[in-house]
Amino acid sequence: MRNEFDFAPLYRSSVGFDRVFNLLNNPQRLQAIDTWPPYDIVKSGEEDYRIQMAVAGFAESDLEITQERNVLIVKGQKNENKEGEYLHRGIAGRSFERRFELADHVRVENASLTNGLLTVDLKRAISEAMKPRKIAIGNSTSGQSPLQIEGDKQVA
């Protein structure tokens, strides 16, 4: 059973949140969740985040990280090694693709692979133009005096 929320009342008092409402209504979000490879998302500072993925057995050349608009895509495809016959295969080497939805103004700072742990550092960077600013109310810059309504003129 699928529950859908009606966001119509929120449209009356918000501007520019269409993307957020579409994400919440996206049917692909509700599909079965793949748990491999395991990962952590850590908030390491006020504007800093880190994604850590356990990718044991993958080399840097087997991994690909791309950012397309507000989606971070991490892909892994291991080249098959035909050295011998496996009697037991406990280290997963299957291909994967994991997607992370990123908020506006979040960008990838760095990525590293150490001891089978892929670390992707993210930073939310809001430009000066997007930060709050005070808007002055007052005189126009055209230099014209404001229009005034004249009272009744008496003719002599």
Side-chain angles (χ1 to χ4, degrees):
M1 177 183 215
R2 183 172 175 210
N3 293 330
E4 278 200 35
F5 296 101
D6 182 19
F7 294 111
L10 296 174
Y11 285 118
R12 291 190 295 252
S13 61
S14 63
V15 177
F17 289 95
D18 303 347
R19 182 176 169 273
V20 174
F21 299 139
N22 289 341
L23 281 173
L24 293 173
N25 279 331
N26 186 355
Q28 292 178 342
R29 256 181 79 254
L30 302 174
Q31 290 179 352
I33 298 173
D34 185 15
T35 60
W36 196 85
Y39 66 92
D40 293 332
I41 300 176
V42 181
K43 184 172 184 178
S44 56
E46 189 66 31
E47 305 292 331
D48 301 317
Y49 300 88
R50 181 175 54 245
I51 298 173
Q52 296 177 317
M53 297 180 72
V55 290
F58 284 84
E60 287 181 20
S61 59
D62 299 332
L63 299 170
E64 179 182 324
I65 303 170
T66 55
Q67 182 178 357
E68 298 174 3
R69 294 189 185 198
N70 293 358
V71 178
L72 175 68
I73 303 168
V74 180
K75 293 181 185 179
Q77 181 152 357
K78 189 167 170 89
N79 297 327
E80 279 298 315
N81 191 356
K82 300 292 183 184
E83 293 179 14
E85 177 184 345
Y86 286 97
L87 300 177
H88 171 74
R89 189 162 193 166
I91 300 174
R94 65 179 184 259
S95 298
F96 68 89
E97 179 177 317
R98 175 139 336 252
R99 293 173 175 263
F100 299 93
E101 293 283 339
L102 301 178
D104 293 335
H105 311 294
V106 173
R107 66 172 195 264
V108 176
E109 289 284 303
N110 187 27
S112 62
L113 179 65
T114 307
N115 297 329
L117 192 64
L118 175 66
T119 303
V120 180
D121 296 318
L122 305 165
K123 184 170 190 73
R124 181 175 43 198
I126 300 175
S127 66
E128 289 297 320
M130 298 299 291
K131 290 185 179 176
R133 60 186 171 101
K134 188 170 185 169
I135 309 298
I137 301 172
N139 300 334
S140 64
T141 58
S142 62
Q144 298 176 351
S145 61
L147 298 176
Q148 295 181 357
I149 299 175
E150 295 181 11
D152 290 339
K153 293 185 180 178
Q154 294 183 358
V155 179

